[in-house]
Every structure is written in structure tokens, then in C-alpha cells.
Amino acid sequence: MERSVIVENMLAKIAELWDIAQGWLLSPAAWSQFALLVVAYVAALFVAKKLRPLLNRLLTPAADAQTYLARARRFVAMFLPLLLPLLAYAFIGIGETATRAMFGSGAVIAFGKRVFLFLAVRILVKEIINDPVMKVLGRYILVPIAALYALGILDEVMAYLDATVVPLGNLSFSVLFAIRFVLVAGAIFWLGRWSNDQSSQFIKSQDEMRPAMRELAAKAIEIAIFGIAFLLVMNIMGISLTSLAVLTGVIGVGLGFGLQKIASNFISGVILLLEGQATVGDYVELDGGEAGTIIKMTARATILEAYDGRWIVVPNEDFITTRVVNYSDSGSANRYEADFSVSYDTDINRVPAIIEAAVAKHPGVLDKPFPPDCELRGFGDSGVDFSVEFWVEGIDDGKNKFLSDVLFLIWNALKDEGIQIPYPHRVVELKTPLPTS
């Protein structure tokens, strides 16, 4: 019964709008207001055409400018597409005052204002909003609301949506409440994400802070921002936080059982960031064989990038409970060995000095903590085995081919000195003489 009453009210409103439209077509005052609408739009078009280049110059900083003022100018410049409909809205407002003074009515002018406001909302959603979630909300909720407001039937539609109740177990809520909740939550969390991005960029630009502390501060601010956003949404929508006590208890039980690993990984991530033993940019190797450069540390896991470009997701707990080798710890160098052999005909007393001098020429090889050291390792089946130890700042990976470069230096140095690098020889002894023909 209630729904049929609402439908009847809607039909009556539509009939009323049709009568108003017919009245406008026969009214000189309405035609005067239409003329004012056209004049206001043409004036707004002319002014916007003149102002747009000037505002573009004023609000467009240099491409490499990253100051707060430059960012603020870029942010304001995003809204320049709204210049035309907003100017038209302002000019129509001036015309509305004059029309009401002359004719005592401004219904057509008021309708024109609502139409230009609708156009502004449409431009905002189509050209300015880039976030995918906010664009969807704007396209399917904000633009229809602006269209209903322009037609003057927004109040009736809102009353119908408010009267439409959706039952959900012991709870029930109106469709209008759900739409408001989605809009408010989307706007607040979008603003929270934008604030989080700005604060993260600011923190990561503080070079005097340790990388681990920068990551920890960024994570703490992220949790604080989205926690405040959640509380704001609950408060604005009139949802009592005490009603969430049962849900909080369920989450606590879940953390004790099903979410135990997640909680453990989260706490392990906080410990990693506080201690700073491994941070973004370090090359690490775990007991399980996982090895790569840390490119990201999240609340649950650490992401490694291997030499071949693969991403390895390692739970933070593994960094706490297992042995981890960090090859990129700040201030430390790494030692490598290059093995080679020389012929038994070589004067092996000359080899260490030749190889050490050759390896020391490499720009990446360090003199400290130790210079290159060539050692005799043994007497092999085909030659005399040597190994040269050398220290470098960094690791031997795709960018730094230390071992390959050193082997090239060894090869060229031995060739220049006329020293042969042996290849395997095998002696075959025949117990029975070969038959003669």
C-alpha cells in the first residue's frame, strides 16, 4: 500500500512538471528567462575562453618542480574544465535576481542553474576524477543524483528510497542509507588514500632517516589514517561503535586461531622495520633458498626480486625465525673467489704476483679490508690449481659481473705472460699389444 502511494505521488509530480512546462511555453516571463539563460551561457563561454589560457599559465609550474606550492597549483589546475559551467551558474544567479525583481518569478532561471550544476558534476566525473573507484561511484550515483536534482524530483526519489527497507537478518536499513554510506565511505577513504600517498612521499624523501624507520613511519601513518577514516564513517553515518563490540570479539577469536599466522607476520614486519637488519634495496638469501633484492615490505610479507625478474613473496616471520644472509648490509663488502689452473710446465712462483696485479686493475675491486690474494690450492690431474680472492662493494648480480670480469682479467694476464691454461689429458695404457696386419 505504501509503495503504491509513493508511485502515485511520483506520477502526480510528473504531471505537475508537464503543466509547468506547458505554462512556460505560453509565458512571456518564461521566454525572457530563457533569453537570459542563453545570454548568461554566451557570456560564460566568452569569459572562459579569455580566462582559460591565463589560468593555465598561472597554474602550470615547471615539469620538474616538486614544491608544495607547485603541487597545489597542479591540483587547482585539475578543476579548470569546470570553469565554463561554474561561470554560467554565477551569471545565471545574477540574472535570477533581476528576473525576480521584474517578473516576481524565476522558475526557469532556477531550472537553468540546476542544469549547469548537473553539467559541472558530469564534467567532474568524466574529466577530473581519475580514481577508478570514485569514477564508478560518480558515474552511477553522483551523476544520477545531479540529474534528479536538475529535474526537481530529487526529494520525491529520496523519499521513495528512504521508504524502501532492505531486511538483513535481524537488521534492516533503507536503500537511501546504503547509498549515503557508499558515497560517504568512498569519499572519506579516497581522501585517506590521497593523504597517505602524500605523507608517504614526504617521509620517503627524508634522507636523514634510516630506510627501515622510513618504512615503519609510513606504515604507522597509513594505519592511523585509515583508522581515523573508519571512525569518521561510523560517526557520520550514526553507527554506534558499541554495536561493533561483538564483531570485535569475533575478530579477536579469529586472531587467536585462524589469523594467528597473519598476526605473527604483522608483528614480525614491525620488528624488521624497527631493527633495520633488512630493508628495501638489500640483497638477502634465506635458509629455504629464496634469494633476491628486497623491493617492498608490506604488513604481511616481504617481496624479493630475483635475478631473472621473478617476484618471491616471503612471509615476514621467516626473516625472524630462520637464518638470513644479508649481502647488502650498509658499510660491508663481500668477498669472492675465482678459480683457475695453469700448466705443470709453468713457473708457479710467478703466478700470484701476475694475477694479483691483473685483478687489482678492476675498478670495483677493493684494497680494503684486503687486496686481491692469489693462493695455491692444489695439484690437479691436468694442472696446478690456484684461486684468487678479492673484495668488492656490492654483490655479483645482473648489474655487477665481478666474477666474469675477473676471469677475463686472469685469462688475458696469463696469455700475455705466455702461461698456458691446461685442459684435461688422459693416458690410456693397453695391457695387450695392438695386432699387426
Side-chain angles (χ1 to χ4, degrees):
M1 179 66 69
E2 184 180 358
R3 182 170 299 179
S4 62
V5 172
I6 295 174
V7 172
E8 290 177 1
N9 292 336
M10 292 286 295
L11 293 175
K13 183 66 176 179
I14 293 174
E16 181 184 347
L17 291 174
W18 175 247
D19 293 337
I20 292 174
Q22 288 180 326
W24 285 355
L25 292 175
L26 302 175
S27 171
W31 282 105
S32 301
Q33 294 176 53
F34 277 123
L36 283 175
L37 286 176
V38 174
V39 171
Y41 177 76
V42 173
L45 191 65
F46 176 78
V47 174
K49 187 177 180 180
K50 296 295 184 181
L51 281 179
R52 187 74 179 264
L54 176 62
L55 293 176
N56 268 325
R57 290 194 298 269
L58 292 175
L59 297 175
T60 305
D64 56 346
Q66 296 298 330
T67 62
Y68 291 109
L69 179 60
R71 294 178 183 177
R73 290 166 64 188
R74 292 192 185 99
F75 179 77
V76 175
M78 290 171 49
F79 297 92
L80 284 180
L82 296 176
L83 184 63
L84 175 59
L86 293 181
L87 282 174
Y89 183 88
F91 291 159
I92 290 173
I94 298 173
E96 182 183 13
T97 303
T99 302
R100 290 188 183 277
M102 294 172 58
F103 300 103
S105 172
V108 178
I109 289 287
F111 174 73
K113 288 175 63 179
R114 295 197 299 269
V115 169
F116 281 112
L117 189 61
F118 165 75
L119 294 177
V121 171
R122 189 172 179 274
I123 292 173
L124 176 69
V125 173
K126 186 177 180 181
E127 300 183 21
I128 299 176
I129 296 177
N130 295 321
D131 184 81
V133 176
M134 295 301 295
K135 187 175 284 290
V136 169
L137 292 176
R139 183 180 302 166
Y140 294 106
I141 297 181
L142 191 59
V143 170
I145 289 176
L148 294 173
Y149 175 73
L151 295 174
I153 58 174
L154 180 60
D155 292 338
E156 287 75 8
V157 173
M158 289 181 64
Y160 173 75
L161 294 176
D162 194 28
T164 304
V165 177
V166 178
L168 187 63
N170 296 327
L171 302 176
S172 62
F173 56 88
S174 66
V175 176
L176 181 61
F177 176 85
I179 293 175
R180 284 176 174 171
F181 182 83
V182 171
L183 281 176
V184 171
I188 290 179
F189 279 101
W190 175 81
L191 182 62
R193 189 170 68 176
W194 180 82
S195 303
N196 178 61
D197 292 340
Q198 299 302 314
S199 60
S200 295
Q201 291 179 6
F202 174 76
I203 290 173
K204 291 179 180 179
S205 65
Q206 306 303 310
D207 296 332
E208 64 273 9
M209 297 175 63
R210 291 192 300 115
M213 290 303 299
R214 291 200 296 265
E215 289 290 331
L216 181 61
K219 291 298 178 186
I221 290 178
E222 180 179 2
I223 293 172
I225 287 176
F226 285 104
I228 293 172
F230 174 77
L231 295 177
L232 281 176
V233 170
M234 296 297 104
N235 187 44
I236 291 174
M237 299 310 299
I239 301 175
S240 176
L241 294 179
T242 56
S243 63
L244 301 177
V246 176
L247 178 61
T248 306
V250 172
I251 293 175
V253 174
L255 287 175
F257 293 97
L259 302 180
Q260 182 179 3
K261 280 291 184 182
I262 296 178
S264 175
N265 286 319
F266 177 79
I267 296 173
S268 298
V270 173
I271 294 173
L272 278 175
L273 293 174
L274 285 174
E275 291 184 347
Q277 299 302 318
T279 187
V280 174
D282 289 354
Y283 182 84
V284 296
E285 181 178 354
L286 280 72
D287 259 354
E290 300 89 351
T293 303
I294 299 177
I295 60 172
K296 188 176 182 181
M297 300 180 73
T298 67
R300 187 191 66 84
T302 298
I303 300 176
L304 311 181
E305 184 176 16
Y307 290 149
D308 55 6
R310 291 178 300 135
W311 281 20
I312 305 172
V313 180
V314 182
N316 290 329
E317 186 181 11
D318 291 358
F319 281 84
I320 303 298
T321 59
T322 62
R323 184 180 66 92
V324 179
V325 180
N326 190 343
Y327 291 92
S328 305
D329 192 16
S330 178
S332 65
N334 296 308
R335 191 191 72 172
Y336 290 94
E337 296 182 2
D339 299 327
F340 64 96
S341 299
V342 298
S343 171
Y344 275 104
D345 297 331
T346 305
D347 181 4
I348 61 175
N349 296 296
R350 300 172 49 215
V351 172
I354 295 172
I355 298 303
E356 290 170 1
V359 174
K361 296 178 182 178
H362 191 285
V365 174
L366 305 175
D367 292 331
K368 296 179 180 180
F370 300 102
D373 181 24
C374 184
E375 300 176 353
L376 176 65
R377 291 295 172 87
F379 302 99
D381 295 337
S382 304
V384 183
D385 298 330
F386 283 88
S387 181
V388 58
E389 300 173 351
F390 59 95
W391 290 77
V392 292
E393 190 72 55
I395 58 173
D396 188 70
D397 58 7
K399 296 180 296 184
N400 303 313
K401 300 178 176 63
F402 296 121
L403 189 58
S404 175
D405 293 343
V406 168
L407 288 174
F408 270 109
L409 291 172
I410 293 172
W411 173 275
N412 293 327
L414 294 178
K415 286 293 184 181
D416 292 343
E417 295 294 330
I419 299 175
Q420 293 184 352
I421 298 178
Y423 51 86
H425 291 79
R426 296 292 181 266
V427 177
V428 178
E429 180 178 354
L430 300 176
K431 297 294 185 180
T432 304
L434 293 173
T436 57
S437 57

